[in-house]
Amino acid sequence: MEEKIAVYPGSFDPITYGHVDIIKRALKIFDKVIVAVAYNYNKKSLFTPQERVEMIKEALKGYTNVIVGSFGGLLMEYMKEANAKVVLRGLRATSDFEYEYHMASMNRSLSKDIDTLFMVTGKDYFFISSRTIKEVVSLGGSVEELVPENVSRKLREKFVQQKRGAK
Ligand code: PNS
C-alpha cells in the first residue's frame, strides 16, 4: 500500500510547541510527516536554515516517522521531489485564513493533484507565533512553556550573541 505522506512546510524560525502539536497530531493520520524548512524567500530570519533544521531534529528526536528537510524554491517542486500529495498547515485564528487560502489556491493552480489540509491549532497554543516568541526573548522574557527546551536555550544564546555583536 502507498505510504501516506504529509509535508508540513514553514519558516520555523523557530519551531514552537504549536508546531510540535500539529506534527504529533498529524502522525496519527499520516505514515510519515516531512517538516520542510523554507529558506531563500522574502522573509528575514533569525536562525539560518541549518540551525532551524537542527533545532527541529533535536526537538523531535524519538519520532521515527518525522523527517526534517529544507527547500529554497517552490513548495510544489519540493512536493514532487518528496513524492507527497498533501501539504499540512496549522490554522490559529480566522486572521490566518486569508493568507492560507491564497497560498493554498496558488499552490493548487500550480499542481492540481496536491491538496492543502488545515489543522486547527490546539487551544493551549493558538496565541503562540515564532514572531512573538522572538520578541519576548529579545526583551528578556521567558518562553519555556511555549517552545521545546533546546529552542529556548538557542534563542537566549542567539540574543546574547547579537547584543555582544552590537556593543
Ligand atoms: O511559516 P510561514 O512563513 O507562514 O510559511 C510560509 C511558506 C514557507 C509555507 C510559504 O511561504 C511557501 O511555501 N514558500 C515557498 C515558495 C512558494 O512555493 N511560493 C508559492 C506559494 S504562494
Side-chain angles (χ1 to χ4, degrees):
M1 222 166 67
E2 206 176 314
E3 249 190 337
K4 283 186 280 172
I5 306 170
V7 170
Y8 183 35
S11 307
F12 302 107
D13 186 42
I15 188 165
T16 70
Y17 275 146
H19 298 124
V20 173
D21 176 56
I22 298 276
I23 295 163
K24 285 186 186 169
R25 284 159 57 202
L27 284 170
K28 294 183 186 152
I29 304 170
F30 295 94
D31 300 315
K32 198 160 66 179
V33 174
I34 302 175
V35 183
V37 174
Y39 60 88
N40 242 357
Y41 76 111
N42 292 338
K43 203 166 171 181
K44 209 172 155 278
S45 63
L46 176 66
F47 293 101
T48 66
Q50 194 53 38
E51 286 174 320
R52 286 180 267 157
V53 166
E54 289 308 321
M55 276 190 286
I56 299 170
K57 280 188 179 163
E58 195 177 331
L60 295 170
K61 65 172 178 248
Y63 289 89
T64 47
N65 295 341
V66 176
I67 291 170
V68 188
S70 60
F71 68 103
L74 280 176
L75 174 60
M76 290 300 105
E77 289 303 317
Y78 184 79
M79 294 296 291
K80 278 181 210 146
E81 283 163 30
N83 198 22
K85 298 276 181 252
V86 177
V87 175
L88 179 68
R89 293 283 290 171
L91 272 187
R92 281 167 306 192
T94 48
S95 52
D96 283 345
F97 181 76
E98 201 170 338
Y99 167 63
E100 293 296 336
Y101 177 74
H102 282 127
M103 206 155 63
S105 305
M106 175 56 85
N107 284 332
R108 186 127 181 94
S109 96
L110 292 172
S111 297
K112 304 268 178 292
D113 59 337
I114 291 173
D115 267 300
T116 302
L117 195 85
F118 295 105
M119 204 175 255
V120 174
T121 300
K123 66 174 172 40
D124 297 334
Y125 308 112
F126 74 95
F127 63 95
I128 308 176
S129 73
S130 299
R131 186 180 61 79
T132 52
I133 291 284
K134 285 180 282 197
E135 184 169 326
V136 168
V137 179
S138 74
L139 297 170
S142 166
V143 292
E144 247 128 70
E145 287 172 11
L146 309 178
V147 297
E149 191 279 322
N150 66 307
V151 174
S152 87
R153 190 166 20 91
K154 280 272 174 204
L155 276 163
R156 280 196 306 270
E157 286 169 13
K158 187 64 102 176
F159 286 115
V160 167
Q161 268 173 23
Q162 280 195 349
K163 277 185 190 143
R164 278 200 196 122
K167 274 184 193 163

